[in-house]
Amino acid sequence: MIARDGLHHLRRPLLTPSLEWGITGNPHPFVAGYVMFPAPSGACRRYDRHRRSAMPEPQPLQHYPLHVVVVCHPEPDSFNLAVAHRYCETVEGYRHRTELRDLYRLGFNPVLSAGELSPGESSSPPADVATELDFIDRADVIVLVYPIWLGAPPAMLKGYIDRVFAASTRYGGFRQREDAPGRERGHLVSFSSSGSAKQWLDEQGAWLSLKNLFDTYLRNALLFKSTEHIHFGSIVEGLRPRFVGEHLVEVEEAARRIASLVHPRGIAEN
């Protein structure tokens, strides 16, 4: 439904490289290690006796919020990948950390096995699930980027949710977690796209179903602090670069808004 759109020219470093604040562990080479703003106003400070003023003290990278961006599209130069990269570039401009999980390039297996469905008390999750759980459990923001095919997300993304999001919670476990104190997760954000207009999805009931399953249900079941869903309709082959650019500006605006919701760990706000 969403064809190759020739957006490879959009993947370029937009920010200023910095060695002091280089971001590591991000598999996307075009956005890793770029920052653009001074230290947060609430950062720890050191005293400079020569200038007799408080100077910002750089914080360890692990103190800064982590955004785990899960993108699901088979085409590496698709609109969805451009959205994911632009989101990463924008929040990294605020010294936030990102981890891009490109499911197709990772070769993620979406098939839930019988052993995962009924794990023993002492069993550990498969290695690929354990890797994803490590990112998800440390995330301050989880971002899902995907197309809508036949009124639903791709099967690979649904498999990711089945295997990773629900890895430690089976059957009635979701309801039991509602009473578990202190287990609230971060923020869940979705960027979806479709070849048809959003109005048509509304008329077919697909949009309401998607919101109920991927927004409302996941928020209540997994105890996210908040959810937000940004949708781009009429994303078709041959879309004019001007419209693509306008949509990516929307992504930047959303990323800035989302980045403002989370703050460096252990740093008091002024």
Side-chain angles (χ1 to χ4, degrees), residues 103-157:
L103 299 187
Y104 275 92
R105 258 51 66 187
L106 288 172
F108 180 77
N109 178 15
V111 180
L112 180 69
S113 67
E116 294 174 77
L117 187 62
S118 302
E121 293 184 2
S122 60
S123 62
S124 301
D128 59 341
V129 173
T131 297
E132 301 305 318
L133 280 174
D134 180 60
F135 293 125
I136 294 297
D137 288 343
R138 292 186 290 111
D140 298 281
V141 181
I142 298 175
V143 182
L144 305 178
V145 186
Y146 59 91
I148 297 176
W149 292 336
L150 295 177
M156 182 175 281
L157 183 63

Side-chain angles (χ1 to χ4, degrees), residues 15-24 31-37 58-61 95:
L15 309 178
T16 304
S18 166
L19 294 177
E20 179 182 2
W21 293 99
I23 296 175
T24 61
V31 299
Y34 292 89
V35 297
M36 117 188 226
F37 296 109
Q59 290 297 311
L61 286 174
R95 292 180 182 155

Side-chain angles (χ1 to χ4, degrees), residues 186-247:
H187 305 274
L188 176 65
V189 182
S190 298
F191 290 94
S192 60
S193 60
S194 61
S196 55
K198 183 175 175 294
Q199 180 180 356
W200 188 86
L201 295 176
D202 279 330
E203 294 171 353
Q204 307 306 311
W207 179 249
L208 180 59
S209 298
L210 185 70
K211 290 278 290 181
N212 285 337
L213 175 61
F214 270 64
D215 297 337
T216 304
Y217 184 84
L218 288 180
R219 175 179 181 175
N220 294 336
L222 298 176
L223 304 180
F224 285 105
K225 293 178 181 177
S226 69
T227 58
E228 182 172 355
H229 197 135
I230 298 96
H231 180 74
F232 301 103
S234 302
I235 305 299
V236 296
E237 185 175 5
L239 187 66
R240 294 182 179 179
R242 177 171 66 88
F243 293 115
V244 173
E246 290 175 357
H247 290 328

